[in-house]
Amino acid sequence: QHSSDVDVALDCMMGVQFARIVQSYLAQRQTEEEEKEQVANMVIDEVAEDTKNVNCSENSDDNSQKVADNNQHKNKKSKNKNKNKQPKIGVIGANPSQSKHLETATMNINGIDVDFVNLRAEEVYEANSRIPTSRTRMFGTPLEDALRRDFTINSLFYNIRTRKIE
């Protein structure tokens, strides 16, 4: 079965915490892009205004006004479009009674579904139960997380600090 999402597993914080950091980063980049676009539109508007004073043809005033009106329309349209682009964080809560012990944060970033979770260590179980106990450590290493899984060929562990696959 084809998988179209990306899972980000963390060894030092919960998924929701990291998703908020990513959301903040994306909002900051969006603001910077909007500011660049505003400056570009101001320059275009100034050029359009300056061209009103240049008589290149009979209709130069009409043409420069059309350019200025068109650029103002584009600026308003792109502002409205970008306001809703910041990804929302969805949270799938832990539910120990259903053997779901990880809280998972989800976001759609540029059309890609991304899940944020923490790496897990081997879970400690009571006899005759598949529900981990509170003695289970909250965070594991990439190796511990990989060893506790069933046979899996759908994941790579990429360490962003060392820039290596582990």
Side-chain angles (χ1 to χ4, degrees):
Q1 180 179 348
H2 178 71
S3 176
S4 60
D5 69 336
V6 173
D7 295 334
V8 176
L10 306 148
D11 65 353
C12 61
M13 70 178 67
M14 300 299 287
V16 174
Q17 291 171 296
F18 190 70
R20 287 187 183 123
I21 292 169
V22 171
Q23 184 184 48
S24 175
Y25 171 78
L26 292 172
Q28 180 182 355
R29 285 203 51 212
Q30 179 180 342
T31 300
E32 290 169 1
E33 290 299 316
E34 288 172 357
E35 288 171 356
K36 287 179 187 175
E37 187 176 332
Q38 286 176 348
V39 169
N41 285 328
M42 286 172 41
V43 169
I44 290 170
D45 289 345
E46 286 179 25
V47 169
E49 185 65 31
D50 289 347
T51 59
K52 283 183 179 180
N53 300 325
V54 176
N55 189 5
C56 295
S57 69
E58 296 175 14
N59 299 324
S60 64
D61 287 342
D62 291 340
N63 289 335
S64 62
Q65 185 60 44
K66 287 178 187 175
V67 169
D69 291 345
N70 189 33
N71 287 328
Q72 288 172 356
H73 176 70
K74 281 184 195 174
N75 192 18
K76 287 178 188 175
K77 188 176 177 181
S78 68
K79 278 184 186 178
N80 291 335
K81 182 177 77 170
N82 287 335
K83 280 183 183 177
N84 299 324
K85 280 214 169 195
Q86 183 173 342
K88 304 267 188 266
I89 299 173
V91 178
I92 302 166
N95 186 351
S97 66
Q98 298 294 315
S99 294
K100 169 129 178 60
H101 299 277
L102 285 180
E103 179 178 80
T104 303
T106 66
M107 296 174 76
N108 187 289
I109 303 172
N110 296 328
I112 299 170
D113 292 323
V114 182
D115 295 340
F116 300 91
V117 297
N118 59 293
L119 291 170
R120 295 185 287 171
E122 184 61 44
E123 295 164 332
V124 179
Y125 299 95
E126 294 292 337
N128 302 321
S129 175
R130 284 292 301 146
I131 299 175
T133 67
S134 60
R135 295 187 311 258
T136 299
R137 284 194 347 250
M138 183 174 288
F139 297 105
T141 65
L143 178 61
E144 288 172 322
D145 192 85
L147 290 175
R148 59 166 288 288
R149 296 179 181 276
D150 295 334
F151 182 69
T152 303
I153 305 181
N154 68 349
S155 60
L156 293 172
F157 291 89
Y158 180 76
N159 187 323
I160 61 172
R161 291 182 197 110
T162 63
R163 296 183 175 205
K164 292 182 181 176
I165 294 175
E166 296 183 346

